[in-house]
C-alpha cells in the first residue's frame, strides 16, 4: 500500500456542490494528499482549487481520472443524478477507494450497476452515513445486544418533516435513519406503506421530479412499516411541515425493558428510559443521557459535527482497503437502504405488501399503478 494516498475530488457546483465536507475531509488525514479536483462549473472549479490548495483542476472528471490516476476519490455532490456515472467512472479508472455522498443513487438498476463495477475493480466504497461511525451508536448497539434494552420490539424513525416532508424527506433524510434501522434491527424482510398528497392517496398525477436529482417522487405524507430480520418492526413517518422544535428527526428504539431515543451525527443526543411501560410521564424513572462512555456517564469527547464523522469514515475506508474488507458503511449496505426507500414507493404503487429483495429493479414510480382508483 502507498505511504501517501493520492486523492481526487469530484464536485459539481450548482448541482450538489461538495456535499457535507466530502472535499475537505482529506485535509484531516495525514496519509492523504489531495492532488486534483474536477468541477463542471468554471467558477466553482476555481474556488475549489483555492479551497483545497491544488494546482490541477479539470472541468471533466473523466479527464481528471485519466490524467491523475488517483488512489482515492470523493464523489461529493449532494445531488444524486450523477452518482452512478461518477462511481462507475472511478471504478473503471482503477481507484482503490471511493467516499460517496448519500443518497447513493436513484434506482436499484443504478445500485446494481455500481456494485458490479466496484466488485470487478475491487474498489471499496464508503458512504457518508456519518452516524454509522458515531461512538454513541456503538454504545446503543451494545445496549441492545447486552440485554439492557431487553427484546428489541420496535424502531420508529422520522425525517425532518420540514418543507421536504413526504417523498423528498424519505430520500434525503430517510437514508440516514433507515440505514440505522437496518443496522440495529437487521435487514428488511417486507414493507407496507401509505403515501398521501393533501390527505388523499397519492396517485400517478401526484408524481413529479424530485429536487436534487432524486428522480420521480410523490407524497407530502408517508407512513411505512418494515418487518426486520431481528423480529422487530420498523416504522418510518414523515409529514410535510410537521416539524417540531427541537426536531424529531432520528430514531426511537422500543424494547421490553425501556426506550432509547437518538438523533444523527457524530455525537447525537441520545437518551435511555429504563421503564418497561414506556411511560415517559413518570418522573420516578427519568431519561438518562447516553454518552460515548455509556448511560449516565459524562461525555469526554467534543462534537466535531458531520466532519468528525467524515474523518472516521475515511479512516475506516483506508483501513478497509489495507485489510481487504468492506467499510463499515459500504455500498452494498447503502444499496439495501435505497431498496427500503424504493420499497415504500413500490408497496404504495401496488397496494400490497412487498418482499425484499425486490424482484423489479425499475423505479416503482415509472411503472403503472395497480390499486383501484388510480
Amino acid at each position: 500500500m502507498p505511504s501517501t494516498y493520492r486523492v481526487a475530488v469530484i464536485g459539481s457546483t450548482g448541482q450538489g456542490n461538495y456535499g457535507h465536507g466530502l472535499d475537505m475531509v482529506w485535509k484531516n488525514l495525514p496519509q492523504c494528499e489531495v492532488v486534483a479536483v474536477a468541477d463542471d462549473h468554471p467558477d466553482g472549479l476555481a474556488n475549489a482549487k483555492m479551497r483545497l490548495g491544488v494546482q490541477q483542476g479539470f472541468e471533466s472528471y473523466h479527464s481528471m481520472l485519466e490524467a491523475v490516476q488517483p488512489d482515492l476519490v470523493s464523489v461529493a455532490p449532494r445531488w444524486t443524478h450523477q452518482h452512478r456515472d461518477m462511481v462507475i467512472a472511478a471504478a473503471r479508472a482503477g481507484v482503490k477507494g471511493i467516499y460517496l455522498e448519500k443518497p447513493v443513487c436513484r434506482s436499484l438498476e443504478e445500485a446494481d450497476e455500481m456494485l458490479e463495477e466496484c466488485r470487478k475493480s475491487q474498489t471499496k466504497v464508503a458512504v457518508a452515513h456519518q452516524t454509522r461511525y458515531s461512538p454513541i451508536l456503538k454504545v446503543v448497539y451494545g445496549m441492545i445486544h447486552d440485554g439492557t434494552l431487553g427484546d428489541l420490539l420496535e424502531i420508529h424513525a422520522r425525517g425532518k418533516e420540514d418543507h421536504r416532508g413526504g417523498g423528498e424527506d424519505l430520500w434525503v433524510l430517510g437514508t440516514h435513519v433507515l440505514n440505522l434501522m437496518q443496522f440495529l434491527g437487521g435487514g428488511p424482510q417486507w414493507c407496507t406503506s401509505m403515501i398521501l398528497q393533501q390527505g388523499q392517496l397519492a396517485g400517478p398525477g401526484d408524481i413529479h421530479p424530485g429536487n436534487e436529482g432524486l428522480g420521480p417522487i410523490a407524497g407530502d405524507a408517508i407512513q411505512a412499516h418494515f418487518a426486520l430480520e431481528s423480529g422487530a418492526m420498523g416504522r418510518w413517518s414523515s409529514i410535510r411541515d410537521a416539524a417540531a422544535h427541537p426536531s424529531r428527526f432520528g430514531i426511537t428504539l422500543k424494547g421490553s425493558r425501556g426506550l432509547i431515543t437518538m438523533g444523527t451525527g457524530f455525537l447525537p443526543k441520545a437518551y435511555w428510559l429504563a421503564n418497561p411501560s414506556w411511560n415517559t410521564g413518570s418522573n420516578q424513572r427519568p431519561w438518562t443521557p447516553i454518552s460515548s462512555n455509556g448511560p449516565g456517564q459524562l461525555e469526554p469527547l467534543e462534537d466535531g459535527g458531520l466532519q468528525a464523522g467524515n474523518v472516521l469514515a475515511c479512516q475506516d475506508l483506508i483501513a478497509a482497503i489495507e485489510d481487504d474488507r468492506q467499510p463499515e458503511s459500504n455500498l452494498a449496505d447503502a444499496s439495501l437502504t435505497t431498496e427500503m426507500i424504493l420499497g415504500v414507493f413500490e408497496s404504495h404503487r401496488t397496494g400490497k405488501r412487498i418482499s425484499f429483495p425486490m424482484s423489479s429493479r425499475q423505479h416503482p414510480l415509472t411503472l403503472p399503478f395497480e390499486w383501484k382508483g388510480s
Side-chain angles (χ1 to χ4, degrees):
M1 293 298 172
S3 57
T4 300
Y5 286 86
R6 300 168 67 256
V7 181
V9 174
I10 302 174
S12 186
T13 298
Q15 298 191 81
N17 303 322
Y18 292 84
H20 294 93
L22 270 70
D23 54 343
M24 298 299 291
V25 58
W26 307 103
K27 296 288 188 179
N28 296 282
L29 279 72
Q31 70 271 51
C32 295
E33 178 188 6
V34 180
V35 296
V37 59
D39 191 322
D40 50 8
H41 190 288
D43 291 342
L45 177 59
N47 290 335
K49 287 173 63 179
M50 183 178 301
R51 182 172 66 250
L52 292 167
V54 298
Q55 297 297 316
Q56 297 189 83
F58 300 79
E59 292 190 14
S60 163
Y61 63 84
H62 292 283
S63 298
M64 179 184 70
L65 292 168
E66 181 178 358
V68 175
Q69 298 184 341
D71 301 306
L72 305 173
V73 168
S74 269
V75 173
R78 278 174 52 95
W79 289 21
T80 310
H81 65 297
Q82 298 185 82
H83 285 181
R84 178 261 183 205
D85 293 347
M86 291 173 173
V87 167
I88 287 178
R92 289 177 176 172
V95 305
K96 295 181 175 67
I98 299 171
Y99 190 38
L100 173 61
E101 179 63 296
K102 58 78 199 168
V104 294
C105 58
R106 301 170 296 180
S107 72
L108 296 181
E109 289 177 306
E110 291 186 344
D112 292 344
E113 291 168 344
M114 294 159 68
L115 284 165
E116 177 60 15
E117 288 295 335
C118 292
R119 183 195 65 79
K120 289 191 294 188
S121 63
Q122 299 185 355
T123 302
K124 311 297 186 187
V125 181
V127 177
H129 289 133
Q130 292 92 345
T131 313
R132 284 291 297 275
Y133 298 91
S134 168
I136 288 179
L137 179 63
K138 291 181 174 61
V139 173
V140 170
Y141 183 87
M143 292 174 69
I144 295 172
H145 291 274
D146 68 8
T148 300
L149 185 65
D151 295 329
L152 178 61
L153 304 176
E154 299 178 21
I155 303 178
H156 191 177
R158 299 194 78 99
K160 284 195 172 179
E161 300 185 281
D162 52 17
H163 64 280
R164 299 168 293 184
E168 186 174 351
D169 203 7
L170 176 63
W171 270 114
V172 179
L173 287 314
T175 184
H176 282 296
V177 289
L178 290 176
N179 186 266
L180 293 176
M181 183 186 291
Q182 77 184 57
F183 173 67
L184 295 171
Q189 307 300 294
W190 52 258
C191 168
T192 61
S193 69
M194 179 178 67
I195 302 177
L196 302 178
Q197 183 68 39
Q198 296 184 337
Q200 303 297 318
L201 288 175
D206 298 308
I207 299 171
H208 60 278
N211 294 321
E212 300 189 2
L214 292 172
I217 62 172
D220 59 14
I222 294 177
Q223 296 284 350
H225 293 84
F226 299 90
L228 304 175
E229 188 176 9
S230 65
M233 289 298 299
R235 181 180 175 189
W236 157 262
S237 305
S238 175
I239 302 172
R240 185 169 299 167
D241 296 325
H245 299 285
S247 172
R248 290 183 291 259
F249 174 45
I251 60 172
T252 299
L253 308 174
K254 299 180 179 181
S256 58
R257 295 183 176 178
L259 300 175
I260 294 173
T261 66
M262 178 179 165
T264 63
F266 172 64
L267 287 182
K269 299 294 185 183
Y271 299 91
W272 158 239
L273 180 69
N275 189 331
S277 73
W278 304 344
N279 182 359
T280 59
S282 171
N283 45 19
Q284 294 181 345
R285 297 180 178 179
W287 289 95
T288 300
I290 301 172
S291 76
S292 62
N293 273 346
Q297 303 299 310
L298 293 176
E299 180 55 67
L301 303 175
E302 293 186 10
D303 189 356
L306 290 179
Q307 192 67 320
N310 287 334
V311 170
L312 291 179
C314 291
Q315 288 174 337
D316 180 64
L317 173 60
I318 292 170
I321 293 167
E322 295 178 350
D323 297 341
D324 192 22
R325 60 169 175 81
Q326 288 299 314
E328 171 65 26
S329 178
N330 56 70
L331 183 57
D333 179 84
S335 294
L336 181 55
T337 303
T338 300
E339 191 160 1
M340 294 176 74
I341 292 169
L342 291 165
V344 172
F345 292 119
E346 177 70 350
S347 175
H348 179 76
R349 180 189 74 84
T350 61
K352 301 174 183 176
R353 188 178 83 180
I354 63 101
S355 298
F356 298 99
M358 292 165 59
S359 57
S360 172
R361 313 308 278 178
Q362 292 179 262
H363 195 298
L365 297 184
T366 65
L367 301 173
F369 273 49
E370 295 180 7
W371 46 265
K372 293 180 179 180
S374 63

